[in-house]
Amino acid sequence: MNLRMIHPLDLRQGRVDLSHGAGGRAMGQLIAQVFHAALDNEWLRRGNDQAALAIDGARLVMTTDGYVISPLFFPGGDIGSLAVHGTINDIAMAGAEPRYLSASFILEEGFPLADLERIARSMGDAARAANTVIVTGDTKVVERGKADGVFVCTTGIGVVPAGIEVSVERVRPGDRILLSGSLGDHGIAVMSRRHDLQFETQIMSDSAPLHELVREMVAAGGADLHAMRDPTRGGLAATLNEIAGQAGVGMRIREAQIAIKPAVNAACELLGLDPLYVANEGKLVAFVAPASAATVLAAMQRHPLGEDAAIIGEVVADSRCFVQMTTEFGGERMVDWLAGEQLPRIC
Amino acid sequence: MNLRMIHPLDLRQGRVDLSHGAGGRAMGQLIAQVFHAALDNEWLRRGNDQAALAIDGARLVMTTDGYVISPLFFPGGDIGSLAVHGTINDIAMAGAEPRYLSASFILEEGFPLADLERIARSMGDAARAANTVIVTGDTKVVERGKADGVFVCTTGIGVVPAGIEVSVERVRPGDRILLSGSLGDHGIAVMSRRHDLQFETQIMSDSAPLHELVREMVAAGGADLHAMRDPTRGGLAATLNEIAGQAGVGMRIREAQIAIKPAVNAACELLGLDPLYVANEGKLVAFVAPASAATVLAAMQRHPLGEDAAIIGEVVADSRCFVQMTTEFGGERMVDWLAGEQLPRIC
């Protein structure tokens, strides 16, 4: 994690603020100074969103996420389907096949059982649709006012196909940067519901399981598929900066290649948001060696979840780890971390 | 799950209450009617606290738990060490060796970073002491008043030794019931801190990782070690009733064999609690075929965490799945589920 231009956390007097959960630089700093310092090990140091484990000859990945999204139900999904998709996607980003999930629920006293049942059914449907199973779980209840309806933590285990090694440290200068589709749908769908905004076109979350798209990409790219990540909290900007810092490279992207739906663009203008920083839940960025970039792109475009895929730029040598963008008007712009919180509780 | 004498949940108008998280009959009902109905699969139907998975020849178990304990720091531990121990223990209860853990944090805005660091260090220390690694994690932040300091969800993966099959459906009439030590320490330690009670003897939580004790039990009992469970929420009473219902058997236990420390007994009287229903975090109950019961007991007593182990009763044929106790005075008493909430947020 590149933590340039930011003061160390004050671990004596400091307090958690919303930026520590926003997927940006402050969160990276909290993770580095508090969690990595206390739990230091080779898996956390790698900085992937999932850990690769070799157990008795099996090559597995393990990933976990907490979901605190508000509101719980939004156009295109709910906290249940989101939790399943998010965990499947973090597994898929290692090139792995998702298999088994666990689900832990923290419930607030007074939460309607009908809503809980709807969420549980949505999780079951999402898991079955992706050919995965929620094999174990837990339920805790806290007093009214000590939580916010329901929080869900999902953890997943997946299996890595033989010969596949998809990890951020394989990103290198020259790699092409592929984006699977348009940006910002999830964040804008949630924000519209939260603020009860009406647009001409209903904007739906892109929440979806990406493992089948990834399977096609793995088949097409093989060892040339270096790394993947889903641009969730903090959007594409945070994801690219995170990977640039972890891999010690720079990136150059082209705004003209980045798809954003007109309705999302309009909503972003209204809300004062930059779509590069808005969360997605059904998109991925891939880093592919130049020789295989066109093949992987074609495989993505053949899949419904990759129809709008494009090569949006390339990795460059840059010890400062800058992400720079050529704008549609031909100018140059730094795509930096967002300093603070943009959209709280978006996932 | 035996749900006799209880009305079905009202899934239209009903609401979550604290009893749904208390480890008793109401929680069992919520899990059955909401979660098992929506997620139905062979693993959940087995009713173990962990799922046994066969992946590419490896025999694994996976378990998850959310921790919402209040207060976060208590005599003998904190939410961090508790989360690690609890997950290790759920793995160990399958006779498995814990290997890899994940940790997901839900933080309330304003939570002191110093407390978070203390919790993270405690988790790291507990994981290292048990030769396990926290390989992946997640951090979310919610607004002030939407959580209670910090909630932690831990998930664990363990490896089952060849030839070992420890699962609740193996419990059968004749099995001896072994308890590893005295009851109620954790619950009373937490309650004393919560209510700022002073006792002559400081009561410490028994929070501890049980996998090494289990390793000795597996070595001593082999295939005669039928099932194990740690009596956490709802205490020994809930655990025995749960297993009786799942295995379709009855149980007879003897009060005289059940160890309870004098200070815990005194505190229970003061607080109006029955130690059979108070949570433990470093104890286990095992179901062992009669031929190996003495050998397994001796192995337990040789381990520091099983010094006070005893055979407290046996499994009997009983289609009503009753748990009955011979009291110290020679009487008979039903040990039923507790109907509602005894101690909220004890883990």
Side-chain angles (χ1 to χ4, degrees):
Chain A
M1 183 71 53
N2 186 336
L3 299 172
R4 64 181 185 269
M5 295 168 56
I6 187 165
H7 289 293
L9 286 177
D10 178 356
L11 291 180
R12 283 186 174 208
Q13 303 293 334
R15 291 180 178 271
V16 169
D17 64 49
L18 289 171
S19 76
H20 291 126
R25 192 183 279 166
M27 188 175 90
Q29 188 179 32
L30 180 79
I31 291 172
Q33 269 190 258
V34 175
F35 295 117
H36 287 199
L39 308 174
D40 183 51
N41 61 65
E42 58 183 293
W43 291 273
L44 295 179
R45 276 195 297 273
R46 280 187 154 196
N48 287 315
D49 284 344
Q50 69 296 115
L53 310 172
I55 305 183
D56 287 0
R59 292 179 69 212
L60 306 179
V61 292
M62 179 182 197
T63 186
T64 194
D65 265 308
Y67 292 86
V68 299
I69 191 165
S70 172
L72 297 169
F73 303 93
F74 51 84
D78 57 55
I79 192 172
S81 54
L82 181 71
V84 170
H85 293 160
T87 293
I88 286 174
N89 291 348
D90 277 346
I91 292 171
M93 294 307 110
E97 293 281 346
R99 291 271 186 93
Y100 301 107
L101 308 180
S102 67
S104 185
F105 296 84
I106 296 172
L107 306 174
E108 183 188 8
E109 181 186 16
F111 188 65
L113 289 173
D115 286 352
L116 186 62
E117 194 192 27
R118 186 174 159 200
I119 291 165
R121 292 203 180 280
S122 167
M123 292 187 82
D125 292 344
R128 276 185 292 272
N131 210 17
T132 58
V133 191
I134 297 171
V135 292
T136 190
D138 184 53
T139 306
K140 294 289 190 307
V141 181
V142 298
E143 307 89 334
R144 206 180 286 265
K146 300 296 187 185
D148 193 15
V150 56
F151 301 139
V152 183
C153 291
T154 42
T155 304
I157 297 177
V159 179
V160 186
I164 295 305
E165 182 76 44
V166 179
S167 183
V168 66
E169 72 264 24
R170 297 195 62 219
V171 172
R172 60 205 56 188
D175 278 1
R176 299 301 186 255
I177 306 173
L178 283 63
L179 176 62
S180 67
S182 70
L183 292 185
D185 301 22
H186 175 74
I188 294 303
V190 174
M191 292 303 283
S192 331
R193 172 58 52 93
R194 198 183 289 172
H195 298 297
D196 206 17
L197 301 177
Q198 307 289 337
F199 299 111
E200 274 181 48
T201 318
Q202 161 94 302
I203 298 165
M204 308 281 282
S205 167
D206 58 349
S207 178
L210 294 169
H211 62 297
E212 293 183 346
L213 173 64
V214 165
R215 198 183 294 149
E216 302 301 325
M217 295 170 66
V218 166
D224 277 353
L225 181 59
H226 290 161
M228 287 183 284
R229 196 161 290 174
D230 51 341
T232 56
R233 278 181 287 178
L236 181 69
T239 297
L240 294 184
N241 273 283
E242 193 180 53
I243 294 178
Q246 289 172 341
V249 298
M251 298 187 192
R252 299 196 68 91
I253 59 175
R254 289 174 292 278
E255 190 174 24
Q257 305 305 320
I258 298 173
I260 297 160
K261 290 177 183 151
V264 171
N265 238 335
C268 279
E269 277 184 25
L270 188 74
L271 294 162
L273 299 171
D274 181 338
L276 289 183
Y277 294 86
V278 176
N280 313 279
E281 291 291 344
K283 299 298 177 334
L284 63 82
V285 206
F287 298 82
V288 184
S292 295
T295 322
V296 173
L297 179 66
M300 292 170 78
Q301 289 170 337
R302 280 193 298 270
H303 192 279
L305 293 176
E307 274 176 356
D308 299 324
I311 298 180
I312 62 163
E314 48 276 326
V315 177
V316 296
D318 181 352
S319 59
R320 302 162 305 175
C321 307
F322 283 172
V323 178
Q324 293 179 77
M325 184 166 77
T326 306
T327 66
E328 296 208 64
F329 308 106
E332 291 288 323
R333 179 192 143 187
M334 276 286 289
V335 179
D336 201 356
W337 295 96
L338 203 68
E341 171 73 4
Q342 192 180 33
L343 302 176
R345 299 184 62 187
I346 209 72
C347 62
Chain B
M1 182 73 50
N2 186 336
L3 299 172
R4 64 182 185 268
M5 294 167 57
I6 186 164
H7 289 293
L9 286 178
D10 178 357
L11 291 180
R12 282 186 175 212
Q13 303 292 334
R15 290 179 179 272
V16 169
D17 65 48
L18 288 170
S19 76
H20 291 127
R25 191 183 281 168
M27 188 174 90
Q29 189 180 32
L30 180 79
I31 291 171
Q33 270 190 258
V34 175
F35 295 117
H36 286 199
L39 309 174
D40 183 51
N41 61 65
E42 58 183 293
W43 292 273
L44 294 179
R45 276 194 298 273
R46 281 187 153 196
N48 286 314
D49 283 345
Q50 69 295 116
L53 310 172
I55 305 183
D56 287 0
R59 292 180 68 213
L60 305 180
V61 292
M62 180 182 197
T63 185
T64 194
D65 264 309
Y67 292 87
V68 299
I69 191 165
S70 173
L72 297 169
F73 303 94
F74 50 85
D78 57 56
I79 192 172
S81 55
L82 181 70
V84 170
H85 293 160
T87 294
I88 285 174
N89 291 349
D90 277 345
I91 292 171
M93 293 309 108
E97 292 282 345
R99 290 272 186 92
Y100 301 108
L101 309 180
S102 67
S104 186
F105 296 84
I106 295 172
L107 307 174
E108 183 189 8
E109 180 186 17
F111 188 65
L113 289 173
D115 286 352
L116 185 62
E117 193 192 28
R118 186 174 159 200
I119 290 165
R121 291 201 181 282
S122 167
M123 293 187 83
D125 291 346
R128 275 185 293 273
N131 210 17
T132 58
V133 191
I134 298 171
V135 292
T136 190
D138 183 54
T139 306
K140 293 290 190 306
V141 181
V142 298
E143 307 88 334
R144 204 180 288 264
K146 300 295 186 185
D148 194 14
V150 56
F151 301 141
V152 183
C153 291
T154 42
T155 304
I157 298 177
V159 179
V160 185
I164 295 305
E165 184 74 43
V166 179
S167 183
V168 67
E169 71 264 26
R170 297 195 60 221
V171 173
R172 62 204 57 189
D175 278 1
R176 300 301 187 254
I177 306 173
L178 282 64
L179 176 62
S180 67
S182 69
L183 292 185
D185 301 23
H186 175 75
I188 295 302
V190 174
M191 292 302 282
S192 328
R193 172 58 51 93
R194 198 183 289 172
H195 298 296
D196 206 16
L197 301 177
Q198 307 288 338
F199 299 111
E200 275 182 47
T201 319
Q202 161 94 303
I203 298 166
M204 309 281 282
S205 167
D206 58 348
S207 177
L210 294 169
H211 63 297
E212 293 182 348
L213 173 64
V214 166
R215 198 183 295 148
E216 302 302 323
M217 296 169 66
V218 166
D224 277 352
L225 182 58
H226 289 163
M228 289 184 283
R229 197 163 289 175
D230 50 341
T232 55
R233 277 182 286 179
L236 182 69
T239 297
L240 294 184
N241 273 283
E242 193 180 54
I243 292 178
Q246 289 171 342
V249 298
M251 298 188 191
R252 299 197 67 92
I253 58 174
R254 290 175 292 278
E255 190 174 26
Q257 305 305 319
I258 297 173
I260 296 160
K261 290 177 183 152
V264 171
N265 239 336
C268 279
E269 277 183 27
L270 188 74
L271 294 163
L273 299 171
D274 181 338
L276 289 183
Y277 294 86
V278 177
N280 312 280
E281 291 290 346
K283 299 297 176 334
L284 63 82
V285 206
F287 298 83
V288 183
S292 295
T295 322
V296 173
L297 179 66
M300 293 170 78
Q301 289 170 336
R302 280 193 299 270
H303 192 279
L305 294 176
E307 275 176 356
D308 300 324
I311 297 179
I312 62 163
E314 47 276 325
V315 177
V316 297
D318 182 352
S319 59
R320 302 161 305 173
C321 307
F322 284 173
V323 178
Q324 294 179 79
M325 184 166 77
T326 307
T327 67
E328 296 208 64
F329 307 106
E332 291 288 323
R333 179 191 144 188
M334 276 285 290
V335 180
D336 201 358
W337 294 97
L338 202 69
E341 170 74 3
Q342 192 178 36
L343 302 176
R345 299 184 63 187
I346 209 72
C347 61

